[in-house]
């Protein structure tokens, strides 16, 4: 891991269970403030990271937040999600973005690292994202964004999310900003599942075909009822569907997989692995709540790849400004 962030501090807004915390701590940064309004998620965050999150960020003055180098925020996505009502700034959750702007304007951290649903980029024909980008540029940041699929970064979950990296305007890169390269190794759901787990479904299973042998795609092999979301069955030798925190149907949160000859939902620990949290991560004791929390989380390996990539670019900037000879690009 790079040593660049050894003395850097970060804040974790809309922190959830701490995916940003894991990725940045592994790179040497120190979390000095977290905010999470959901008490169950805040409890899991405190148990795992030793820091009690503050509550409602809208009620916290910017000057009461410690100075920091990196501001992280996986701000609420429901206002922009394709599965929601897509109200954007007409939804109070959409306006929480401007609390990020408010805090960043006051503290001027070197980097903002943000995440949201893929649909944010196209919401309201792109006008929503244009407003957001302009607001960030107005307070002094260069904005870079990219939709990234978690299945390209060492986890077998098909999860497309937009990531936004904002660099303070005084940070001058000696080349165009670049994003991490996709991982070479590919994983399948059955690399992460536990055997011997019995979770029989009550409805009648209807087979729809055999696994086509392609581990790089989602392979649907059967269904329950009419096969709507939550009742589709997949082969674990392929990719997993996107974990989610809500929805109808027996497999709405995790998807259903044909494991050891029978379809079942994934366990919370299996969901943790699909999101990049290690087996030493302490989950919420309520299985359903734990599953939903992982469905809400950012995939840790994706964050780790982004952090590692922009740290290399920042390292060149700070070496150059300090008059240290740079290695060849």
């Amino acid at each position: 891991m790079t040593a660049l962030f050894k003395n850097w501090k970060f804040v974790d807004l809309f922190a959830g269970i701490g995916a940003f915390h894991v990725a940045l701590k592994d790179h040497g940064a120190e979390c000095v403030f977290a905010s999470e309004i959901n008490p169950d998620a805040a409890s899991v965050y405190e148990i795992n990271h030793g820091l009690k999150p503050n509550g409602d960020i809208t009620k916290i003055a910017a000057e009461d937040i410690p100075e920091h180098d990196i501001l992280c925020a996986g701000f609420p996505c429901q206002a922009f999600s394709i599965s929601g009502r897509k109200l954007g700034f007409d939804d109070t959750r959409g306006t929480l973005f401007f609390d990020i702007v408010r805090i960043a304007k006051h503290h001027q951290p070197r980097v903002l690292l943000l995440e949201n649903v893929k649909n944010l980029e196209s919401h309201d024909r792109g006008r929503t994202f244009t407003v957001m980008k302009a607001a960030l540029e107005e307070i002094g940041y260069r904005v870079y964004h990219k939709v990234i699929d978690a299945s390209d970064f060492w986890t077998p979950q098909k999860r497309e999310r937009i990531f936004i990296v904002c660099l303070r305007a005084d940070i001058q890169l000696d080349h165009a900003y670049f994003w991490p390269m996709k991982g070479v190794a590919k994983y399948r759901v059955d690399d992460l599942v536990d055997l011997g787990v019995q979770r029989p479904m009550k409805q009648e299973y209807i087979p729809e075909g055999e696994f086509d042998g392609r581990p790089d795609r989602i392979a649907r092999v059967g269904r329950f009822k009419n096969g709507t979301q939550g009742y589709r069955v997949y082969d674990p030798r392929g990719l997993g569907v996107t974990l989610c925190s809500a929805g109808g149907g027996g497999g709405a949160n995790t998807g259903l997989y044909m494991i050891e000859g029978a379809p079942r939902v994934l366990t919370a620990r299996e969901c943790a692995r699909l999101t990049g949290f290690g087996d030493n991560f302490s989950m919420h004791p309520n299985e359903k709540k734990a599953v939903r929390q992982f469905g809400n989380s950012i995939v840790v390996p994706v964050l780790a790849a982004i952090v590692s990539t922009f740290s290399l670019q920042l390292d060149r900037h700070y070496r150059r400004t300090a008059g240290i000879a740079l290695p060849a690009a």
Side-chain angles (χ1 to χ4, degrees):
M1 296 296 183
T2 178
L4 175 66
F5 297 139
K6 183 177 181 181
N7 297 313
W8 285 38
K9 303 182 187 303
F10 70 96
V11 298
D12 199 355
L13 310 183
F14 314 104
I17 58 176
F20 280 117
H21 194 120
V22 174
L24 278 162
K25 185 178 180 181
D26 283 349
H27 281 75
E30 176 191 0
C31 186
V32 294
F33 176 90
S35 174
E36 172 53 53
I37 199 170
N38 182 284
D40 291 320
S43 174
V44 172
Y45 190 103
E46 183 177 8
I47 290 170
N48 283 281
H49 309 303
L51 178 67
K52 184 176 181 178
N54 291 264
D56 188 348
I57 194 64
T58 66
K59 298 178 181 178
I60 301 173
E63 55 267 25
D64 291 336
I65 296 174
E67 294 295 323
H68 51 277
D69 302 287
I70 304 174
L71 184 154
C72 303
F75 56 105
C77 64
Q78 294 92 332
F80 311 108
S81 173
I82 197 167
S83 62
R85 296 176 65 190
K86 297 184 285 186
L87 296 177
F89 294 139
D90 291 330
D91 186 324
T92 55
R93 293 167 297 190
T95 60
L96 291 171
F97 166 78
F98 293 103
D99 286 287
I100 297 171
V101 176
R102 169 177 65 87
I103 294 164
K105 181 179 180 180
H106 178 84
H107 286 283
Q108 290 290 297
R110 306 187 217 206
V111 181
L112 312 182
L113 178 54
L114 315 177
E115 181 266 0
N116 209 280
V117 291
K118 174 185 178 181
N119 196 54
L120 174 65
E121 190 175 20
S122 58
H123 181 267
D124 193 18
R125 300 183 180 180
R127 287 189 284 263
T128 297
F129 190 75
T130 297
V131 170
M132 289 181 166
K133 186 171 182 287
L136 293 166
E137 290 172 340
E138 186 177 344
I139 62 170
Y141 288 88
R142 292 188 177 89
V143 181
Y144 308 91
H145 68 281
K146 184 177 178 66
V147 172
I148 294 178
D149 186 346
S151 67
D152 290 325
F153 290 89
W154 313 286
T155 180
Q157 181 186 168
K158 183 72 175 178
R159 191 180 188 88
E160 293 180 300
R161 293 293 185 265
I162 188 169
F163 291 87
I164 306 166
V165 173
C166 309
L167 301 181
R168 203 172 59 199
D170 63 301
I171 297 175
Q172 299 291 330
L173 301 180
D174 55 3
H175 45 64
Y177 182 84
F178 60 87
W179 293 88
M181 297 179 63
K182 298 178 181 179
V184 176
K186 296 294 182 183
Y187 294 90
R188 315 181 312 189
V189 172
D190 63 357
D191 290 323
L192 304 179
V193 299
D194 293 315
L195 302 181
V197 176
Q198 299 298 318
R199 293 194 163 188
M201 299 292 294
K202 295 180 181 179
Q203 297 92 351
E204 179 185 359
Y205 172 66
I206 303 171
E208 291 185 319
E210 298 294 327
F211 178 57
D212 62 6
R214 293 180 56 185
D216 61 341
R217 65 186 294 271
I218 298 171
R220 179 173 166 177
V221 294
R223 64 181 170 89
F224 291 98
K225 295 188 175 181
N226 59 2
T228 54
Q229 184 178 0
Y231 292 108
R232 299 164 188 161
V233 182
Y234 306 96
D235 196 295
R237 290 172 290 182
L239 293 180
V241 295
T242 303
L243 298 179
C244 64
S245 60
N253 299 128
T254 77
L256 296 165
Y257 296 89
M258 184 64 74
I259 300 172
E260 295 183 291
R264 69 167 173 88
V265 297
L266 300 179
T267 66
R269 181 57 67 190
E270 291 165 342
C271 291
R273 294 170 188 154
L274 273 172
T275 319
F277 290 91
D279 283 359
N280 61 341
F281 187 85
S282 297
M283 305 182 299
H284 194 283
N286 182 291
E287 178 86 359
K288 289 184 178 180
K289 287 185 178 181
V291 167
R292 292 191 185 107
Q293 287 174 352
F294 292 119
N296 263 332
S297 181
I298 307 169
V299 175
V300 174
V302 176
L303 289 176
I306 293 171
V307 171
S308 180
T309 300
F310 76 63
S311 72
L312 294 173
Q313 298 173 76
L314 292 176
D315 185 60
R316 290 183 64 84
H317 164 78
Y318 286 110
R319 283 174 175 266
R320 184 175 63 251
T321 56
I324 301 172
L326 293 174

